[in-house]
Amino acid sequence: MIGIGIDLGGTAIKSALVDSEKGIIKQFSIPSDAHLGKDALLQRLIDVVKNAIAESTEKPVGVGIGAPGVISLDRITVSNPPNLPGWDIVPLADIITKGTGLPCRIENDANLAALGSSRFGIGRTYPHFIMVTLGTGVGGGIIFNRDIFRGAHGGAGELGHVTIDYKGPQSNSPTQGGIEAYLGQRFLSHFAAEQLSKYPENELTIKFDGQFEKMEPVDLYTAAVAGNEIAIDILKSAGEKLGYAIVNYVHILDIRTIIVSGGVSRAGDFILEPARKAALSRLMDPFKPDFQILFEAQGNDIALLGAGSLAIEIRP
Amino acid sequence: MIGIGIDLGGTAIKSALVDSEKGIIKQFSIPSDAHLGKDALLQRLIDVVKNAIAESTEKPVGVGIGAPGVISLDRITVSNPPNLPGWDIVPLADIITKGTGLPCRIENDANLAALGSSRFGIGRTYPHFIMVTLGTGVGGGIIFNRDIFRGAHGGAGELGHVTIDYKGPQSNSPTQGGIEAYLGQRFLSHFAAEQLSKYPENELTIKFDGQFEKMEPVDLYTAAVAGNEIAIDILKSAGEKLGYAIVNYVHILDIRTIIVSGGVSRAGDFILEPARKAALSRLMDPFKPDFQILFEAQGNDIALLGAGSLAIEIRP
């Protein structure tokens, strides 16, 4: 079976033909041109789907869309997506179905990354796992019995906004001390700049010459690989905070496989090893057996694979 | 239908005949005499069940036991219960069935309090809710689709050990800054003593005359009702911390009805109102509709009602 997976972002619409056995067969990307407004963007989405149907050797069974904003429990309506001007409450799935004839469901990005990992990634082996996506923001998806756990209203898994310090810093929510405020790209870079500015002789400090706003997590990672002790410490501190947050997830959900994905996680064991150590130092004993933190290596494709899986698995 | 509910504690074995319609019909309590060892206590439990059968007008359908320690996913085996000397890994449910002929399942106390509230308490109206039990310790139970959510391994809902401050105080676990370390009776009393000792003229300070170890949460509550500002502030501070922890539960589970039970919660709105306010100040907007913190008024009976419900609902 083939499903059409779409990643609807503020700058680009990515789409893919996803085969239930083979994964991504073909992949496309066009600019969102979100500034042209809601109706233009909806028409563009319909065109993307029609293009994917035309490119497919067999008829796709449905459309799955990863969208920003709040997704309704029935996965049809999106509310107030950030970065999409003019959108308020939009029955997106119904509009796509009307325009293309294919059934459609929408879901948030992090849940789709979790679903993608469950169907095509390292998560395949685990019926239950917690996905943490480390990127611009920090998102989460919970897979329970091989399906997305959505809670009572559809919003479960806001893992970046789980506090580990109620007096801590804020990211893009009223929650203080959520791990997005430590590990979100902008926040991690800001913290790194603060630390590095104490060390004028450090190679990273010299490299960015006061322009730390240009520093990305990958610069920290590269420096850490090269043995830069301050960079290693910065990533360690971030990893420990991730570890403390993971303890919260595990004590609430008793799901003991954690899968980390996204850009920041490319720092790999510079973050994940301190996270493991911190988590194991705080977990209650009964939760330690089988506890593991894994890395999803499939990168950006994982959410598209999840969107395609959502399409394939639509139930009427 | 009638089930036998048992609350196995270190000091007493409480038991009840629970009718699926009428709730508790008869209730019994005998000392555990746990110091006599495992075999004596197991025999005593079998006798308790036999006594309940003899006291019942119709044949009970099963036995549900609330036990300390780690409960296996199949609800048959308990491991390393604190306060029960000589117990390591005990297939308690099988032993009860062998000794009494009735099917049996075990479950932890907080999960049973949640189940009891779901079947006989304020939780009846809500298919999904989060139960927080405030007592000597702080426990939790998650009701999802009218059933206990147990996670992948059976231990979900350790809500007292969800950190809100990774540098915070410890209670009876390696987790720092879990709310048990703020709202557990001993910890709340300790915090209150610390605060009150700064106010030698305060009526509570005078009343306990340095012997704060005798102070119980109910003393704080009574003083708060009488207008004691320091007592009100102490309960407010505890309530705020509960509120921050609740935000973590809600952002992970997206279950928006919180039910609080247990001794400390008798402080009522002196704790719950600050908890509501703190939670609403930190919740992300999409989680605010329908958010509520309720109080389970049924007191200690709620866990026995849950144990009886567990018995009634045993599926082979």
Side-chain angles (χ1 to χ4, degrees):
Chain A
M1 267 197 292
I2 288 179
I4 298 171
I6 295 179
D7 179 5
L8 170 59
T11 53
I13 304 173
K14 293 176 194 160
S15 56
L17 290 167
V18 177
D19 181 286
S20 52
E21 303 295 325
K22 299 175 206 149
I24 291 178
I25 298 176
K26 281 187 187 170
Q27 198 164 337
F28 318 91
S29 181
I30 60 167
S32 310
D33 286 342
H35 62 277
L36 298 179
K38 187 180 79 170
D39 291 342
L41 183 47
L42 287 171
Q43 187 55 52
R44 184 162 282 216
L45 275 168
I46 290 169
D47 293 343
V48 162
V49 173
K50 285 182 175 169
N51 170 65
I53 295 171
E55 291 278 348
S56 183
T57 51
E58 65 177 81
K59 193 184 180 226
V61 296
V63 182
I65 304 181
V70 179
I71 313 291
S72 63
L73 193 56
D74 60 10
R75 291 169 160 161
I76 286 173
T77 303
V78 58
S79 303
N80 305 309
N83 311 325
L84 300 182
W87 289 49
D88 37 22
I89 298 177
V90 179
L92 178 56
D94 287 346
I95 291 168
I96 297 296
T97 297
K98 205 174 160 207
T100 68
L102 288 181
C104 177
R105 290 293 180 277
I106 52 181
E107 186 51 275
N108 87 49
D109 294 337
N111 279 351
L112 287 184
L115 190 63
S117 181
S118 173
R119 300 303 186 261
F120 292 100
I122 194 172
R124 264 180 306 186
T125 325
Y126 305 99
H128 321 285
F129 65 86
I130 297 165
M131 163 73 77
V132 185
T133 61
L134 300 176
T136 311
V138 174
I142 299 162
I143 297 291
F144 187 67
N145 288 333
R146 292 188 61 76
D147 209 352
I148 300 169
F149 177 85
R150 310 181 78 240
H153 302 264
E158 274 294 353
L159 304 183
H161 303 279
V162 168
T163 195
I164 59 166
D165 180 1
Y166 68 92
K167 295 163 296 209
Q170 269 182 298
S171 60
N172 301 313
S173 88
T175 310
Q176 285 184 233
I179 55 159
E180 181 170 281
Y182 302 104
L183 280 93
Q185 284 195 15
R186 190 163 59 86
F187 303 96
L188 180 57
S189 294
H190 182 79
F191 173 71
E194 240 176 45
Q195 296 303 305
L196 285 164
S197 62
K198 297 178 199 162
Y199 301 92
E201 308 296 314
N202 190 281
E203 284 177 30
L204 262 183
T205 318
I206 293 165
K207 180 177 170 192
F208 283 93
D209 190 23
Q211 296 189 293
F212 283 127
E213 67 279 6
K214 292 184 182 163
M215 189 171 56
E216 304 250 344
V218 68
D219 298 308
L220 285 170
Y221 170 55
T222 310
V225 171
N228 189 316
E229 292 288 340
I230 310 301
I232 290 171
D233 274 357
I234 290 166
L235 295 172
K236 183 181 168 214
S237 170
E240 284 170 353
K241 292 183 175 69
L242 176 61
Y244 300 140
I246 285 173
V247 170
N248 281 357
Y249 313 153
V250 175
H251 282 173
I252 292 178
L253 295 166
D254 197 8
I255 293 175
R256 301 181 192 172
T257 296
I258 316 298
I259 299 178
V260 177
S261 75
V264 174
S265 66
R266 279 184 293 168
D269 277 343
F270 287 105
I271 283 184
L272 299 190
E273 198 47 46
R276 282 184 195 104
K277 213 173 151 189
L280 283 169
S281 75
R282 301 292 178 89
L283 274 173
M284 298 169 82
D285 282 337
F287 294 88
K288 286 181 183 169
D290 302 322
F291 174 77
Q292 55 184 343
I293 302 181
L294 305 173
F295 174 58
E296 173 58 61
Q298 297 231 21
N300 292 330
D301 284 352
I302 206 72
L304 268 180
L305 284 163
S309 303
L310 181 67
I312 290 165
E313 297 170 20
I314 291 175
R315 299 197 183 44
Chain B
M1 270 198 290
I2 287 180
I4 298 171
I6 295 179
D7 179 5
L8 169 59
T11 53
I13 304 172
K14 293 176 193 160
S15 56
L17 290 166
V18 177
D19 182 284
S20 52
E21 304 295 325
K22 297 175 209 149
I24 292 177
I25 298 174
K26 282 187 187 170
Q27 200 165 337
F28 318 92
S29 180
I30 60 167
S32 311
D33 285 344
H35 63 278
L36 298 177
K38 187 180 79 172
D39 291 343
L41 182 48
L42 287 171
Q43 187 54 52
R44 183 161 283 217
L45 275 168
I46 289 169
D47 293 343
V48 162
V49 173
K50 285 181 175 168
N51 170 65
I53 295 172
E55 291 277 350
S56 183
T57 51
E58 65 176 82
K59 191 181 182 232
V61 295
V63 182
I65 304 181
V70 179
I71 313 292
S72 62
L73 193 56
D74 60 10
R75 290 171 161 159
I76 286 172
T77 304
V78 59
S79 302
N80 306 308
N83 311 325
L84 299 184
W87 289 50
D88 36 22
I89 297 177
V90 180
L92 178 56
D94 287 346
I95 291 167
I96 298 296
T97 297
K98 206 175 159 205
T100 67
L102 287 182
C104 177
R105 290 293 180 276
I106 52 180
E107 187 50 272
N108 89 47
D109 293 338
N111 279 352
L112 288 184
L115 189 64
S117 181
S118 172
R119 300 303 185 260
F120 292 101
I122 193 171
R124 263 180 306 186
T125 324
Y126 305 99
H128 323 285
F129 65 86
I130 297 165
M131 163 74 77
V132 185
T133 61
L134 301 175
T136 312
V138 174
I142 299 161
I143 296 290
F144 187 67
N145 287 333
R146 291 188 62 76
D147 207 352
I148 301 170
F149 177 85
R150 309 180 80 239
H153 302 263
E158 275 294 354
L159 304 184
H161 303 280
V162 167
T163 194
I164 59 167
D165 180 2
Y166 69 92
K167 293 162 296 209
Q170 269 181 299
S171 61
N172 301 313
S173 88
T175 310
Q176 285 184 233
I179 55 160
E180 182 170 280
Y182 302 104
L183 279 92
Q185 284 194 15
R186 189 162 61 86
F187 303 97
L188 180 57
S189 293
H190 182 81
F191 173 72
E194 241 176 45
Q195 296 302 307
L196 285 164
S197 62
K198 298 177 197 162
Y199 301 91
E201 307 296 315
N202 190 281
E203 284 178 29
L204 262 183
T205 318
I206 293 164
K207 181 177 170 192
F208 284 95
D209 191 23
Q211 296 189 294
F212 283 126
E213 66 279 7
K214 292 183 182 163
M215 188 171 58
E216 304 249 344
V218 68
D219 298 308
L220 284 170
Y221 170 54
T222 311
V225 171
N228 188 316
E229 292 287 341
I230 310 300
I232 291 171
D233 274 357
I234 290 166
L235 294 172
K236 182 180 168 214
S237 170
E240 284 170 353
K241 290 182 176 69
L242 176 61
Y244 300 141
I246 285 172
V247 171
N248 281 356
Y249 313 153
V250 175
H251 281 174
I252 292 178
L253 294 165
D254 198 9
I255 294 174
R256 303 180 191 173
T257 296
I258 316 297
I259 300 179
V260 177
S261 75
V264 173
S265 66
R266 277 184 294 167
D269 277 343
F270 287 106
I271 283 185
L272 298 190
E273 199 46 45
R276 281 182 197 105
K277 211 173 151 189
L280 283 169
S281 76
R282 300 293 178 92
L283 274 173
M284 298 169 81
D285 282 337
F287 294 87
K288 285 180 182 169
D290 302 321
F291 174 77
Q292 54 183 347
I293 303 180
L294 306 173
F295 174 58
E296 174 56 64
Q298 298 231 20
N300 293 329
D301 284 352
I302 205 73
L304 268 179
L305 285 163
S309 303
L310 180 67
I312 290 166
E313 296 171 21
I314 290 175
R315 300 197 181 46

